[in-house]
């Protein structure tokens, strides 16, 4: 559903659209579920994570999945 709804948006507007659709939790949960969390290190980067609401929800989902999280932000 999210892929269809976001298909017409550029990456810098994706965060706004995810929030407008009230789909932050779904986006974050699906994203975490797609990650190879069994690896020693996984790097996640993307414009959508510059949004504080999405980043915090994503970190929460990662921790819930048992991941150790290091947040690195822009200087």
């Amino acid at each position: 559903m999210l892929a269809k709804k976001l298909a017409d948006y550029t990456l810098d507007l994706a965060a706004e659209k995810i929030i407008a659709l009230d789909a932050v939790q779904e986006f974050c949960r699906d994203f975490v579920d797609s990650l190879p969390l069994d690896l020693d290190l996984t790097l996640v980067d993307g414009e959508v994570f510059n949004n504080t609401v999405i980043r915090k929800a994503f970190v929460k989902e990662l921790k819930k999945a048992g991941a150790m999280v290091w947040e690195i932000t822009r200087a």
Side-chain angles (χ1 to χ4, degrees):
M1 182 277 294
L2 283 173
K4 287 181 184 178
K5 295 283 186 181
L6 294 174
D8 58 341
Y9 281 80
T10 60
L11 291 177
D12 60 332
L13 299 177
E16 293 173 19
K17 185 67 172 180
I18 291 167
I19 291 169
L21 289 169
D22 195 27
V24 173
Q25 290 307 122
E26 179 184 359
F27 169 77
C28 293
R29 184 180 54 248
D30 289 350
F31 201 117
V32 169
D33 287 345
S34 74
L35 294 174
L37 295 179
D38 57 329
L39 298 178
D40 290 337
L41 178 66
T42 301
L43 173 69
V44 177
D45 181 33
E47 181 67 29
V48 72
F49 299 111
N50 285 327
N51 181 285
T52 304
V53 171
I54 293 175
R55 186 176 59 254
K56 286 183 178 185
F58 184 64
V59 167
K60 183 178 177 181
E61 287 294 320
L62 281 168
K63 289 180 179 179
K64 197 162 71 171
M68 182 184 300
V69 179
W70 289 295
E71 285 187 74
I72 300 172
T73 58
R74 293 180 186 183

